[in-house]
Amino acid sequence: MFYRLLSVARRQRTGRGWQNWSSGRSSASAAEAHSVALPAQAQVVICGGGIMGTSVAYHLSKMGWKDIVLLEQGRLAAGSTRFCAGILSTARHLTIEQKMADYSNKLYHQLEQETGIQTGYIRTGSVLLAQTQDRLISLKRINARLNVIGIPSEIISPKKVAELHPLLNVHDLVGAMHVPEDAVVSSADVALALASAASQNGVQIYDRTSVLHVMVKKGQVTGVETDKGQIECQYFVNCAGQWAYELGLSNEEPVSIPLHACEHFYLLTRPLETPLQSNTPTIVDADGRIYIRNWQGGILSGGFEKNPKPIFTEGKNQLEIQNLQEDWDHFEPLLSSLLRRMPDLETLEILKLVNCPETFTPDMRCIMGESPAVQGYFVLAGMNSAGLSFGGGAGRYLAEWMVHGYPSENIWELDLKRFGALQSSRTFLRHRVMEVMPLLYDLKVPRWDFQTGRQLRTSPLYDRLDAQGARWMEKHGFERPKYFVPPDKDLLALEQSKTFYKPDWFDIVESEVKCCKEAVCVIDMSSFTKFEITSTGDQALEILQYLFSNDLDVPVGHIVHTGMLNQGGGYENDCSIARLSKRSFFMISPTDQQVHCWAWLKKHMPEDSNLLLEDVTWKYTALNLIGPRAVDVLSELSYAPMTPDHFPSLFCKEMSVGYANGIRVMSMTHTGEPGFMLYIPIEYALHVYNEVMSVGQKYGIRNAGYYALRSLRIEKFFAFWGQDLNTLTTPLECGRESRVKLEKGMDFIGRDALLQQKQNGVYKRLTMFILDDHDTDLDLWPWWGEPIYRNGQYAGKTTSSAYSYTLERHVCLGFVHNFSEDTGEEQVVTADFINRGEYEIDIAGHRFQAKAKLYPVTSLFTHKRRKDDVELSDLHGK
């Protein structure tokens, strides 16, 4: 039989706890287990006995939590974990995924010694092949990131590939990446070992026990209802894999967990005539859409086809996953790809074609974190066929989150709260995962966009802008214009252009930026999250003063840039707040903050009938009027003076624009350029837009998109939450001390941490880098995540970048750390430390010199300069 499952565990189990739940017990003991009563209460109940649930249980027990019950509806490790191909790969695009996989690798390596249970761990290494130069560039970018976090890897030649795996056909390769410490392991045995260790630490584990629903009272988990009775608990963890979606919806207060299953195929062969060595490296041929690993001297090979088969859209399936029906016609393209890569396999006998369900998420990233709707309800699911690689690290981070209130790394890219209920439509999920599964191996160049599930949330101006050449991207389900294609451009060629180099939209965005600088542009920014907080008395001001780091007790009509901080002083949110009246505030936050920000506010605001929080995102269309002639357009439309004397910076006022009343006009643009934000009740949106465009013709008005906005804000050193700022970033680390009311004696969340940091110094600083020796036309572009080197030593990574059409150079933002050369420990980073360094940015293995500047920057834009003449001003910082 292919999978030993629990046989090894049965032979080597130790301790009393194991006997309560081992799936290898006799039928008599199994029957006895059915009569075992569940505990009446526990601190934590975990649903799911696969690698995710057992990892969470293992790590919680290691961190000192003992009152834990793990429930599995079938047998342990009998879900997706049972059919996992057993490949542990650290070569991931996201740093957080690399770190999770690296931790998993180290954990599984020592698990057998810790538990006495054989896991089949073999360090084979992996080789990722490149058939094209673009694929090789992608691998070089990953390689640069792996090296700086301590994961050995190198770019190798096709000749070296043939030496590592002699059976491979390498004639069509241009290179590859070798990751020598990757491994293969039996995922089911890893889950059993984790369960064994958790049991030894006091975790109670019950199989053949189904969770029917989670009980909730006043937005808080109170217990679970199972087919064997109730258990009261404070925390519930949904690790139910492909069943997580259904389980989430079954609650008294539904929890949205957007994932969907697809069929996943791989074949198993008999041993080769000369059996493959156990340490033969795993091969990932993404251009061929396949992976290949040694299996008992033969081959295990599967892949991610272009036409996946979603399953179980209608709802819950069997308790345990069985091998689904073979489909050789469907698998044929992957088989052909395998035989091209390993021609000697033509005569090899195939044992079976395995077909098992795997779950995928709308954005190819796993889901973890606490539900925004129900406190104490945690989720870890949707692994996108990487459950083994992520299982150890993901379980650790979720356990940290539960025990300490936050994980040790920034996991926003994986947070459940990045999704809203809008992503949970069964139709949406079915269509999206059909795109997601092949994307796992597709070449992903910067700024690519999903094609399915689009036009879900749109501005009232969508059709109008689309007719004028808007090209769209999607954020949190909302369509946003990237740029506007002029009538004389080849639309098809522009849409199909995908590159790591200078993109085809370069000239289009340049003209939009130039118009923002010299005339006036309109950007539809309706997607931004918008909340109103009102009260009958002073309650709104009092709670907001505690939740926000800047002073909001300002005169009516003033706008404050501020953030909501956590206890560690990190940004939970970065926003602008306008005081509409003594008792009313208008809050503008990033688009993808809608769910996270709402949950944070609701969690910390008292239940007071005199205090109202309302999400008004859908009520207002937002137009950003940017440029020196914006004042002329708005003056003409409102018959009111809009000059700085009458309408100062960071001011908000309700006005009439054209025929429409009640337009909230704000003197800010999120770019550092002059202009105004107009928040327009949606019924007036089309009228106001038409009036603005009509009056603006004489001033050279045109539409612009978010790519222009990005260029403008980065060259002005404007940091954005989710890109440059996150929950582990403090205001003091990015030069924003002036936005914090530290000296005013008022308490707010994070104040103590900031006072301590101010006394001790910061260990990283947000820095602007301007590339010196970079050729925009010929060199690879920086996008984000590039390693930063100071005096030849790794010092951090970029967080965002853009081409500055003003400086005619690339500008990157990123955090600089001070790592001790002797111990590697972080030390205090001062302005002097930044100023004295010589910097390089590593783009796919090539380092480019860069000048560093701290916030706030000065003298960069006093007058237009040619590229060859730019002399950067002295560095200034706070």
Side-chain angles (χ1 to χ4, degrees), residues 757-776:
Q757 190 177 57
K758 186 174 183 181
Q759 180 178 337
N760 298 339
V762 298
Y763 288 82
K764 61 183 178 184
R765 290 185 75 114
L766 186 63
T767 308
M768 172 191 278
F769 297 94
I770 303 168
L771 298 192
D772 255 356
D773 58 345
H774 184 271
D775 190 316
T776 303

Side-chain angles (χ1 to χ4, degrees), residues 173 292 298 529 693 786:
L173 301 183
I292 309 165
T529 297
M693 295 302 288
E786 291 83 13

Side-chain angles (χ1 to χ4, degrees), residues 55-125:
S55 178
V56 173
Y58 171 88
H59 286 94
L60 283 174
S61 65
K62 287 281 187 180
M63 294 176 193
W65 284 20
K66 306 297 184 183
D67 189 11
I68 301 168
V69 172
L70 187 150
L71 305 177
E72 164 57 46
Q73 63 182 351
R75 295 170 299 157
L76 285 176
S80 297
T81 299
R82 173 187 173 196
F83 285 98
C84 174
I87 298 170
L88 198 159
S89 172
T90 54
R92 306 286 167 178
H93 288 278
L94 298 180
T95 297
I96 186 61
E97 293 181 343
Q98 292 172 352
K99 289 181 176 180
M100 287 196 302
D102 186 44
Y103 175 83
S104 297
N105 197 355
K106 293 179 171 65
L107 173 65
Y108 304 162
H109 182 57
Q110 58 85 40
L111 205 52
E112 186 171 325
Q113 181 179 355
E114 179 184 346
T115 65
I117 296 174
Q118 296 176 13
T119 60
Y121 181 95
I122 302 173
R123 182 158 285 173
T124 61

Side-chain angles (χ1 to χ4, degrees), residues 367-380:
I367 297 173
M368 70 163 66
E370 187 175 16
S371 161
V374 180
Q375 290 187 39
Y377 192 117
F378 285 81
V379 177
L380 184 56

Side-chain angles (χ1 to χ4, degrees), residues 88-103 105-106 125-128 136-156 176-182 284 389-390 784-789 794 796-797 842 844-845 847:
L88 198 159
S89 172
T90 54
R92 306 286 167 178
H93 288 278
L94 298 180
T95 297
I96 186 61
E97 293 181 343
Q98 292 172 352
K99 289 181 176 180
M100 287 196 302
D102 186 44
Y103 175 83
N105 197 355
K106 293 179 171 65
S126 62
V127 179
L128 292 84
L136 189 59
I137 290 168
S138 178
L139 292 179
K140 286 179 177 178
R141 289 176 62 86
I142 295 173
N143 181 67
R145 297 178 191 177
L146 288 176
N147 288 334
V148 297
I149 64 172
I151 300 176
S153 65
E154 62 175 337
I155 300 298
I156 60 175
M177 181 172 72
H178 182 213
V179 189
E181 293 187 1
D182 281 356
V284 177
S389 296
F390 297 158
W784 59 272
E786 291 83 13
I788 301 165
Y789 287 86
Y794 172 66
K797 290 181 186 173
D842 183 327
R847 298 187 189 181

Side-chain angles (χ1 to χ4, degrees), residues 2 35 107 117 126 134-135 247 320 335 502 545 578 584 586 610 659 772 817 839:
F2 174 33
S35 64
L107 173 65
I117 296 174
S126 62
D134 273 349
R135 177 70 67 180
L247 181 58
E320 295 181 5
L335 179 59
K502 179 181 177 181
Q545 286 286 59
S584 179
F586 186 57
N610 296 313
Y659 296 153
D772 255 356
H817 302 250
Y839 294 92

